[in-house]
Amino acid sequence: KILKGFKKTLEIKQFKIFSLKYNDFLFKRIKIEKNRLKIEEIILRLDFRKKKILNLAFKKVHNSFKTIFHAMVPKHTAIIKTKKNKLKKLIVIKFKIVINDSQKGPSELS
């Protein structure tokens, strides 16, 4: 009978220890999940800012390129075009030069 009581006491202590560890695990799991969500939110904000900055930079480069090319080769135009996939990711950058010939009309070089 003493052995049985000791065994029962040991099982209760082990259960309490297990319960404490399990609750600690659940608390840490929730904390990690919250941190993961915060990180994902930060990544989304940074991606948005990156795209905005890249678009602005592209517009500035395009305008500068167009202006410089026109200053070097009057009557002709240079254009930088981009092509994006369905996910709006940049896949191609093209440089086009339009030669304005008064007799033949504009023709395009790529």
Side-chain angles (χ1 to χ4, degrees):
K1 287 188 172 187
I2 295 174
L3 190 59
K4 236 181 188 181
F6 177 73
K7 189 175 179 185
K8 207 171 210 176
T9 304
L10 185 62
E11 287 175 0
I12 291 172
K13 285 182 180 179
Q14 286 176 336
F15 180 76
K16 285 181 181 179
I17 291 170
F18 172 78
S19 294
L20 288 173
K21 286 185 178 183
Y22 182 75
N23 287 337
D24 187 47
F25 166 76
L26 288 179
F27 175 76
K28 287 178 182 177
R29 182 177 172 203
I30 291 169
K31 189 176 177 181
I32 288 170
E33 183 64 20
K34 285 181 182 178
N35 289 338
R36 184 186 65 80
L37 292 173
K38 286 179 187 177
I39 290 169
E40 286 178 357
E41 180 185 339
I42 290 168
I43 289 171
L44 287 173
R45 273 193 267 133
L46 289 173
D47 277 346
F48 176 77
R49 283 177 39 194
K50 177 188 75 171
K51 287 176 185 177
K52 191 174 176 182
I53 289 169
L54 284 174
N55 284 336
L56 181 63
F58 177 78
K59 286 177 184 177
K60 286 181 178 181
V61 167
H62 171 70
N63 289 335
S64 296
F65 179 72
K66 190 175 177 180
T67 303
I68 291 168
F69 187 86
H70 186 71
M72 291 172 50
V73 188
K75 298 182 184 177
H76 304 300
T77 309
I79 301 169
I80 301 174
K81 285 192 171 188
T82 60
K83 184 176 180 183
K84 296 179 181 180
N85 63 11
K86 292 178 183 178
L87 300 173
K88 303 281 185 185
K89 294 210 177 204
L90 183 66
I91 54 174
V92 176
I93 296 177
K94 290 183 178 181
F95 293 93
K96 292 188 176 188
I97 299 170
V98 178
I99 299 172
N100 295 318
D101 188 346
S102 60
Q103 293 177 356
K104 295 181 182 177
S107 58
E108 188 177 291
L109 300 174
S110 296

